[in-house]
Amino acid sequence: MLANVNATRMELLQLRRRVTLASRGHRLLSEKRDEISRQLIKIARDIQPLRKKVEKELLETFRRFMLARALMEPEDVKAALEVPTKKFTLAVEFASVMNVKVPHLLKEMAGEIICYGFTATSGELDVALLALERAFDDLIGLAEKEKQARLLATELNMTRRRVNVLEHVVIPELQGTIRFIYDKLAEAERDNTTRLMKIADIIRA
Amino acid sequence: MAELAEQSVTDFFTYPPIGGDDWRYTFATAYVRALETQLLSRATLLDMANAENFERAADLLSAGEYALPQANRSVAELENFLRNKRSAVRKMFSSLMVDEPIVTLFRTRDDFANMRLAIRRTVTERPLGTDYSDDGNVSAELFEEVFEQENYSLFPDYMAEAVERAVLAYYQNKDIRRIDYAIDSVQAEYNIREAHRLENIFLLGFFRIQIDLTNIRTMFRLKFTESDRRDVFLQGGFVEPDRLKHGLDLDYDAVGQLFFATPYHRLVETGAAYLLSDKSFLRTEQQCEDFLIGFLKTTNQITAGPQPVIAYLLMKENEIRTVRLLLTAKRNSLDTKLILDRLGE
């Protein structure tokens, strides 16, 4: 029950309006929670295979790179990879999913990833770099989806807490206060009736 | 000598001639013959490849010169250890060689590697640094000084030429790879020129084979990356560049036939098949390495001469690379099949 409440009919009417508003908010937030859950499950389903694919691709890239590094002389590795020719830019756009601003990553790549001559380098380095280039699209897709999932999960958590607060605290409290005011008003009504009856008895006597 | 320079790939069966004896090298040849017996056997390398983990693989080397300290076996420590080993071998090579120009010639490999790094840093306006290899003819400090002052006359002629061509090539279309292509080309020309000047048939054959093998690998790499470059093949090998350019237009299955009349037929066919099935250059590189080692092993027939000493240097460098490959592969738990594919059957 709310503290410091005036047990008046005006207050009762206001509280009834607040209960109606809270119930509507509860319903809307429940729907939002369900929709976010649905979106989150959808993204999570996409993430799982994508993550496996990216991990596999990166593992393969890493293996090839380790082989290339082992096959080449250290100074040749340094000379080959010191100045990269591939230029990479990443732009972030935001889209709204259930009022949550989720990022959409846009990449732009220019130039060739193979930035060295052929004499002092191993072919495995080509394989590794091309595999890394291929993995980049998936890697960015994965980063985007994971960020979306994290933001949606945070929003879901917040919405769930709001729904719970409305359901278990705000609405029961308001209803308790309404019941209290109603009882108080009924008590006052009974008091008045009793007082009037007593006065009528006195006059009649 | 002039005839040899013009020799075509069809003029010999597997390997080109390696020249005759030079009795000034009697001691040096005997010395490397003794050291050759200590080279790691194929069985040891296969045992290392099949070892359960890095520790087991490293333990297999504990009885020989590659014994690693038990306490610190980190990647950096391993790299440093193998680099020191390589420097020691090169130092020993310098002390055994009677002909100083041959030592200088082999040191230029590091000069060209340093130059690739220095020019890349210069044209992209990065700090020059002093982290260059010390095994070359030109010291790391001089590199920094020359590039800072842009006074290339302080370099030997072959390096001044390489700088000039590399910088010009870069500024044609600001493509960083042109630097490497130009330096590779100058290096190949310089090697051939020096072999002629020294009248060393073995070195001439070696460098021409090296150019061929580089060109074959380049052909496969261009095909694999679907590049349309045609001007990156090195001149001076036994195989004519037109044959390699033609190879770029053929399917992988047909490339082998193109080299049917050359000693590289098996190498190309095996490499192409593996590249097609496994999307990897491991077999091509292994075949190229085996071919070169095969050529170096023909120096067994020389009683005394610079050939066995040079062959020992190159075989030892190859062994160090193989040890690095095996230990790195084991350290990173790479698939044994990949290692065996690289080592060959």
Short mmCIF file of all heavy atoms in Angstrom, two decimals, chain A residues 106-154:
data_model
loop_
_atom_site.label_atom_id
_atom_site.label_comp_id
_atom_site.label_asym_id
_atom_site.label_seq_id
_atom_site.Cartn_x
_atom_site.Cartn_y
_atom_site.Cartn_z
N LEU A 106 29.06 -1.70 -41.95
CA LEU A 106 29.30 -1.66 -43.40
C LEU A 106 30.80 -1.57 -43.64
O LEU A 106 31.45 -0.64 -43.16
CB LEU A 106 28.63 -0.43 -44.01
CG LEU A 106 27.12 -0.33 -43.86
CD1 LEU A 106 26.66 1.06 -44.19
CD2 LEU A 106 26.44 -1.33 -44.77
N LYS A 107 31.33 -2.56 -44.33
CA LYS A 107 32.79 -2.55 -44.56
C LYS A 107 33.10 -2.16 -45.99
O LYS A 107 32.29 -2.39 -46.89
CB LYS A 107 33.39 -3.92 -44.23
CG LYS A 107 33.05 -4.99 -45.24
CD LYS A 107 33.97 -6.15 -45.06
CE LYS A 107 33.57 -7.33 -45.92
NZ LYS A 107 33.43 -7.11 -47.33
N GLU A 108 34.27 -1.59 -46.13
CA GLU A 108 34.74 -1.24 -47.46
C GLU A 108 36.19 -1.67 -47.56
O GLU A 108 37.01 -1.28 -46.71
CB GLU A 108 34.64 0.28 -47.64
CG GLU A 108 34.08 0.68 -48.99
CD GLU A 108 33.84 2.17 -49.04
OE1 GLU A 108 34.81 2.87 -49.35
OE2 GLU A 108 32.72 2.60 -48.74
N MET A 109 36.49 -2.51 -48.55
CA MET A 109 37.87 -2.98 -48.68
C MET A 109 38.39 -2.59 -50.06
O MET A 109 37.68 -2.73 -51.05
CB MET A 109 37.94 -4.49 -48.49
CG MET A 109 37.71 -4.90 -47.05
SD MET A 109 38.47 -6.46 -46.64
CE MET A 109 37.12 -7.57 -46.89
N ALA A 110 39.63 -2.14 -50.08
CA ALA A 110 40.25 -1.78 -51.36
C ALA A 110 41.67 -2.33 -51.38
O ALA A 110 42.29 -2.51 -50.34
CB ALA A 110 40.27 -0.28 -51.50
N GLY A 111 42.15 -2.61 -52.57
CA GLY A 111 43.52 -3.12 -52.72
C GLY A 111 43.57 -4.63 -52.57
O GLY A 111 42.57 -5.27 -52.23
N GLU A 112 44.76 -5.17 -52.85
CA GLU A 112 44.92 -6.63 -52.78
C GLU A 112 45.58 -7.01 -51.47
O GLU A 112 46.42 -6.28 -50.96
CB GLU A 112 45.78 -7.11 -53.95
CG GLU A 112 45.01 -7.11 -55.26
CD GLU A 112 45.81 -7.74 -56.38
OE1 GLU A 112 46.35 -8.84 -56.19
OE2 GLU A 112 45.89 -7.11 -57.44
N ILE A 113 45.17 -8.16 -50.96
CA ILE A 113 45.69 -8.57 -49.66
C ILE A 113 47.12 -9.12 -49.78
O ILE A 113 47.89 -9.06 -48.83
CB ILE A 113 44.74 -9.59 -48.98
CG1 ILE A 113 45.03 -9.64 -47.48
CG2 ILE A 113 44.82 -10.96 -49.62
CD1 ILE A 113 43.93 -10.12 -46.63
N ILE A 114 47.47 -9.60 -50.98
CA ILE A 114 48.83 -10.12 -51.17
C ILE A 114 49.74 -8.93 -51.49
O ILE A 114 49.61 -8.32 -52.55
CB ILE A 114 48.86 -11.21 -52.25
CG1 ILE A 114 48.05 -12.39 -51.74
CG2 ILE A 114 50.27 -11.64 -52.59
CD1 ILE A 114 47.74 -13.44 -52.75
N CYS A 115 50.63 -8.63 -50.54
CA CYS A 115 51.38 -7.37 -50.63
C CYS A 115 52.89 -7.61 -50.75
O CYS A 115 53.68 -6.84 -50.25
CB CYS A 115 51.09 -6.54 -49.39
SG CYS A 115 51.39 -7.42 -47.86
N TYR A 116 53.28 -8.71 -51.39
CA TYR A 116 54.71 -9.04 -51.44
C TYR A 116 55.04 -9.75 -52.76
O TYR A 116 54.13 -10.13 -53.50
CB TYR A 116 55.05 -9.96 -50.26
CG TYR A 116 54.02 -11.03 -50.03
CD1 TYR A 116 53.96 -12.15 -50.83
CD2 TYR A 116 53.05 -10.88 -49.04
CE1 TYR A 116 52.98 -13.10 -50.65
CE2 TYR A 116 52.08 -11.83 -48.85
CZ TYR A 116 52.05 -12.94 -49.66
OH TYR A 116 51.06 -13.87 -49.49
N GLY A 117 56.32 -9.90 -52.99
CA GLY A 117 56.76 -10.59 -54.20
C GLY A 117 56.72 -12.10 -53.99
O GLY A 117 56.33 -12.58 -52.92
N PHE A 118 57.16 -12.84 -55.01
CA PHE A 118 57.00 -14.30 -54.95
C PHE A 118 58.27 -15.06 -54.59
O PHE A 118 58.21 -16.20 -54.18
CB PHE A 118 56.48 -14.82 -56.30
CG PHE A 118 55.13 -14.28 -56.66
CD1 PHE A 118 54.98 -13.33 -57.66
CD2 PHE A 118 54.00 -14.70 -55.99
CE1 PHE A 118 53.74 -12.81 -57.99
CE2 PHE A 118 52.75 -14.20 -56.30
CZ PHE A 118 52.62 -13.26 -57.31
N THR A 119 59.43 -14.43 -54.75
CA THR A 119 60.67 -15.18 -54.60
C THR A 119 60.95 -15.61 -53.16
O THR A 119 61.26 -16.77 -52.92
CB THR A 119 61.86 -14.32 -55.10
OG1 THR A 119 61.56 -13.94 -56.44
CG2 THR A 119 63.15 -15.09 -55.09
N ALA A 120 60.81 -14.68 -52.24
CA ALA A 120 61.23 -14.98 -50.86
C ALA A 120 60.07 -15.39 -49.96
O ALA A 120 60.23 -15.51 -48.76
CB ALA A 120 61.92 -13.76 -50.28
N THR A 121 58.90 -15.59 -50.54
CA THR A 121 57.74 -15.91 -49.70
C THR A 121 57.16 -17.28 -50.06
O THR A 121 57.37 -17.78 -51.16
CB THR A 121 56.63 -14.86 -49.88
OG1 THR A 121 56.33 -14.75 -51.28
CG2 THR A 121 57.06 -13.51 -49.34
N SER A 122 56.43 -17.83 -49.10
CA SER A 122 55.85 -19.15 -49.32
C SER A 122 54.43 -19.01 -49.87
O SER A 122 53.72 -18.06 -49.53
CB SER A 122 55.80 -19.89 -47.98
OG SER A 122 54.93 -20.99 -48.06
N GLY A 123 54.03 -19.96 -50.69
CA GLY A 123 52.67 -19.97 -51.24
C GLY A 123 51.63 -20.12 -50.13
O GLY A 123 50.49 -19.69 -50.28
N GLU A 124 52.05 -20.72 -49.03
CA GLU A 124 51.11 -20.91 -47.91
C GLU A 124 50.67 -19.56 -47.32
O GLU A 124 49.59 -19.46 -46.76
CB GLU A 124 51.74 -21.75 -46.81
CG GLU A 124 51.84 -23.22 -47.14
CD GLU A 124 50.51 -23.84 -47.55
OE1 GLU A 124 49.62 -23.96 -46.70
OE2 GLU A 124 50.37 -24.20 -48.73
N LEU A 125 51.54 -18.56 -47.48
CA LEU A 125 51.18 -17.22 -47.00
C LEU A 125 50.02 -16.66 -47.84
O LEU A 125 49.11 -16.03 -47.31
CB LEU A 125 52.41 -16.30 -47.08
CG LEU A 125 52.35 -14.99 -46.31
CD1 LEU A 125 52.15 -15.24 -44.83
CD2 LEU A 125 53.62 -14.19 -46.51
N ASP A 126 50.06 -16.94 -49.15
CA ASP A 126 48.94 -16.54 -50.03
C ASP A 126 47.65 -17.21 -49.55
O ASP A 126 46.61 -16.56 -49.44
CB ASP A 126 49.17 -16.98 -51.48
CG ASP A 126 50.42 -16.39 -52.09
OD1 ASP A 126 51.11 -15.64 -51.39
OD2 ASP A 126 50.70 -16.70 -53.27
N VAL A 127 47.77 -18.52 -49.30
CA VAL A 127 46.59 -19.30 -48.88
C VAL A 127 46.03 -18.71 -47.57
O VAL A 127 44.83 -18.51 -47.43
CB VAL A 127 46.94 -20.79 -48.70
CG1 VAL A 127 45.74 -21.60 -48.27
CG2 VAL A 127 47.51 -21.37 -49.99
N ALA A 128 46.94 -18.41 -46.63
CA ALA A 128 46.52 -17.88 -45.33
C ALA A 128 45.84 -16.53 -45.48
O ALA A 128 44.76 -16.30 -44.91
CB ALA A 128 47.73 -17.75 -44.41
N LEU A 129 46.44 -15.66 -46.27
CA LEU A 129 45.87 -14.31 -46.41
C LEU A 129 44.55 -14.33 -47.17
O LEU A 129 43.62 -13.60 -46.82
CB LEU A 129 46.87 -13.37 -47.10
CG LEU A 129 48.11 -13.03 -46.28
CD1 LEU A 129 49.02 -12.08 -47.03
CD2 LEU A 129 47.74 -12.40 -44.95
N LEU A 130 44.46 -15.20 -48.19
CA LEU A 130 43.19 -15.28 -48.92
C LEU A 130 42.09 -15.85 -48.02
O LEU A 130 40.94 -15.42 -48.08
CB LEU A 130 43.35 -16.13 -50.19
CG LEU A 130 44.18 -15.48 -51.30
CD1 LEU A 130 44.41 -16.45 -52.44
CD2 LEU A 130 43.51 -14.23 -51.84
N ALA A 131 42.47 -16.81 -47.18
CA ALA A 131 41.49 -17.39 -46.24
C ALA A 131 41.04 -16.33 -45.23
O ALA A 131 39.87 -16.25 -44.88
CB ALA A 131 42.10 -18.58 -45.51
N LEU A 132 41.99 -15.50 -44.81
CA LEU A 132 41.66 -14.42 -43.87
C LEU A 132 40.71 -13.42 -44.53
O LEU A 132 39.74 -12.96 -43.92
CB LEU A 132 42.94 -13.70 -43.43
CG LEU A 132 42.76 -12.57 -42.43
CD1 LEU A 132 42.28 -13.12 -41.09
CD2 LEU A 132 44.06 -11.81 -42.21
N GLU A 133 40.97 -13.13 -45.79
CA GLU A 133 40.11 -12.20 -46.54
C GLU A 133 38.68 -12.75 -46.65
O GLU A 133 37.71 -12.03 -46.46
CB GLU A 133 40.70 -11.98 -47.93
CG GLU A 133 40.10 -10.81 -48.67
CD GLU A 133 40.74 -10.60 -50.03
OE1 GLU A 133 41.19 -11.60 -50.63
OE2 GLU A 133 40.80 -9.45 -50.48
N ARG A 134 38.61 -14.06 -46.90
CA ARG A 134 37.29 -14.70 -47.01
C ARG A 134 36.58 -14.68 -45.66
O ARG A 134 35.37 -14.49 -45.58
CB ARG A 134 37.44 -16.14 -47.50
CG ARG A 134 37.51 -16.26 -49.01
CD ARG A 134 37.24 -17.69 -49.44
NE ARG A 134 38.18 -18.62 -48.82
CZ ARG A 134 39.38 -18.91 -49.30
NH1 ARG A 134 39.79 -18.33 -50.40
NH2 ARG A 134 40.17 -19.77 -48.69
N ALA A 135 37.36 -14.89 -44.60
CA ALA A 135 36.77 -14.97 -43.25
C ALA A 135 36.27 -13.61 -42.77
O ALA A 135 35.44 -13.54 -41.87
CB ALA A 135 37.79 -15.53 -42.28
N PHE A 136 36.77 -12.54 -43.39
CA PHE A 136 36.44 -11.19 -42.93
C PHE A 136 34.94 -10.89 -43.00
O PHE A 136 34.37 -10.33 -42.06
CB PHE A 136 37.21 -10.16 -43.77
CG PHE A 136 38.12 -9.35 -42.92
CD1 PHE A 136 39.43 -9.75 -42.73
CD2 PHE A 136 37.68 -8.22 -42.28
CE1 PHE A 136 40.27 -9.02 -41.91
CE2 PHE A 136 38.51 -7.49 -41.48
CZ PHE A 136 39.81 -7.89 -41.29
N ASP A 137 34.29 -11.27 -44.10
CA ASP A 137 32.85 -11.00 -44.25
C ASP A 137 32.07 -11.65 -43.12
O ASP A 137 31.21 -11.03 -42.49
CB ASP A 137 32.35 -11.55 -45.60
CG ASP A 137 32.72 -10.60 -46.73
OD1 ASP A 137 32.86 -9.40 -46.45
OD2 ASP A 137 32.89 -11.07 -47.86
N ASP A 138 32.39 -12.92 -42.90
CA ASP A 138 31.69 -13.66 -41.84
C ASP A 138 32.03 -13.10 -40.47
O ASP A 138 31.18 -13.05 -39.58
CB ASP A 138 32.08 -15.16 -41.89
CG ASP A 138 31.51 -15.82 -43.13
OD1 ASP A 138 30.48 -15.33 -43.62
OD2 ASP A 138 32.10 -16.81 -43.60
N LEU A 139 33.28 -12.69 -40.31
CA LEU A 139 33.73 -12.16 -39.02
C LEU A 139 32.96 -10.87 -38.68
O LEU A 139 32.49 -10.69 -37.54
CB LEU A 139 35.23 -11.87 -39.09
CG LEU A 139 35.96 -11.62 -37.79
CD1 LEU A 139 35.95 -12.86 -36.94
CD2 LEU A 139 37.41 -11.23 -38.06
N ILE A 140 32.77 -10.02 -39.68
CA ILE A 140 32.04 -8.77 -39.45
C ILE A 140 30.56 -9.07 -39.21
O ILE A 140 29.92 -8.49 -38.33
CB ILE A 140 32.26 -7.81 -40.64
CG1 ILE A 140 33.69 -7.28 -40.57
CG2 ILE A 140 31.27 -6.65 -40.61
CD1 ILE A 140 34.15 -6.57 -41.79
N GLY A 141 30.03 -10.01 -40.00
CA GLY A 141 28.63 -10.44 -39.80
C GLY A 141 28.42 -10.95 -38.39
O GLY A 141 27.43 -10.63 -37.72
N LEU A 142 29.38 -11.72 -37.91
CA LEU A 142 29.29 -12.30 -36.57
C LEU A 142 29.36 -11.19 -35.51
O LEU A 142 28.57 -11.19 -34.55
CB LEU A 142 30.42 -13.31 -36.35
CG LEU A 142 30.45 -13.99 -34.99
CD1 LEU A 142 29.26 -14.90 -34.82
CD2 LEU A 142 31.74 -14.78 -34.80
N ALA A 143 30.29 -10.25 -35.70
CA ALA A 143 30.43 -9.15 -34.74
C ALA A 143 29.13 -8.36 -34.66
O ALA A 143 28.67 -8.01 -33.57
CB ALA A 143 31.58 -8.24 -35.17
N GLU A 144 28.53 -8.13 -35.83
CA GLU A 144 27.28 -7.36 -35.89
C GLU A 144 26.17 -8.10 -35.15
O GLU A 144 25.48 -7.52 -34.31
CB GLU A 144 26.91 -7.19 -37.37
CG GLU A 144 25.72 -6.32 -37.63
CD GLU A 144 25.42 -6.27 -39.12
OE1 GLU A 144 26.25 -5.74 -39.87
OE2 GLU A 144 24.36 -6.79 -39.53
N LYS A 145 26.04 -9.37 -35.42
CA LYS A 145 24.96 -10.15 -34.80
C LYS A 145 25.18 -10.30 -33.30
O LYS A 145 24.23 -10.25 -32.52
CB LYS A 145 24.88 -11.52 -35.47
CG LYS A 145 24.25 -11.45 -36.85
CD LYS A 145 23.59 -12.73 -37.23
CE LYS A 145 23.01 -12.70 -38.63
NZ LYS A 145 22.07 -11.63 -38.88
N GLU A 146 26.44 -10.50 -32.90
CA GLU A 146 26.70 -10.65 -31.47
C GLU A 146 26.41 -9.36 -30.71
O GLU A 146 25.90 -9.39 -29.60
CB GLU A 146 28.14 -11.12 -31.24
CG GLU A 146 28.30 -12.58 -31.62
CD GLU A 146 29.53 -13.23 -31.03
OE1 GLU A 146 30.47 -12.50 -30.70
OE2 GLU A 146 29.55 -14.47 -30.93
N LYS A 147 26.74 -8.23 -31.34
CA LYS A 147 26.45 -6.94 -30.71
C LYS A 147 24.94 -6.75 -30.60
O LYS A 147 24.42 -6.31 -29.56
CB LYS A 147 27.10 -5.81 -31.53
CG LYS A 147 27.00 -4.44 -30.91
CD LYS A 147 27.82 -4.33 -29.66
CE LYS A 147 27.59 -3.03 -28.93
NZ LYS A 147 28.14 -3.04 -27.60
N GLN A 148 24.23 -7.10 -31.70
CA GLN A 148 22.77 -6.99 -31.68
C GLN A 148 22.19 -7.85 -30.57
O GLN A 148 21.31 -7.40 -29.82
CB GLN A 148 22.19 -7.44 -33.03
CG GLN A 148 22.38 -6.44 -34.14
CD GLN A 148 21.84 -6.93 -35.47
OE1 GLN A 148 21.30 -8.03 -35.56
NE2 GLN A 148 22.00 -6.13 -36.49
N ALA A 149 22.69 -9.07 -30.48
CA ALA A 149 22.19 -10.00 -29.47
C ALA A 149 22.43 -9.44 -28.07
O ALA A 149 21.56 -9.53 -27.20
CB ALA A 149 22.87 -11.36 -29.63
N ARG A 150 23.64 -8.87 -27.88
CA ARG A 150 23.97 -8.35 -26.54
C ARG A 150 23.04 -7.18 -26.18
O ARG A 150 22.53 -7.11 -25.07
CB ARG A 150 25.44 -7.90 -26.53
CG ARG A 150 25.97 -7.71 -25.13
CD ARG A 150 27.46 -7.66 -25.09
NE ARG A 150 28.05 -8.93 -25.48
CZ ARG A 150 29.12 -9.05 -26.26
NH1 ARG A 150 29.70 -7.99 -26.73
NH2 ARG A 150 29.60 -10.24 -26.55
N LEU A 151 22.81 -6.27 -27.16
CA LEU A 151 21.95 -5.12 -26.90
C LEU A 151 20.51 -5.57 -26.64
O LEU A 151 19.84 -5.07 -25.73
CB LEU A 151 21.99 -4.14 -28.08
CG LEU A 151 23.29 -3.36 -28.24
CD1 LEU A 151 23.32 -2.62 -29.56
CD2 LEU A 151 23.46 -2.36 -27.10
N LEU A 152 20.03 -6.53 -27.44
CA LEU A 152 18.67 -7.02 -27.26
C LEU A 152 18.53 -7.75 -25.92
O LEU A 152 17.51 -7.63 -25.25
CB LEU A 152 18.29 -7.97 -28.41
CG LEU A 152 17.96 -7.27 -29.74
CD1 LEU A 152 17.70 -8.29 -30.82
CD2 LEU A 152 16.75 -6.37 -29.61
N ALA A 153 19.59 -8.47 -25.54
CA ALA A 153 19.54 -9.19 -24.26
C ALA A 153 19.46 -8.21 -23.10
O ALA A 153 18.69 -8.42 -22.15
CB ALA A 153 20.77 -10.08 -24.11
N THR A 154 20.21 -7.11 -23.20
CA THR A 154 20.17 -6.07 -22.15
C THR A 154 18.76 -5.47 -22.08
O THR A 154 18.19 -5.29 -21.00
CB THR A 154 21.20 -4.97 -22.46
OG1 THR A 154 22.44 -5.58 -22.76
CG2 THR A 154 21.37 -4.01 -21.29
#
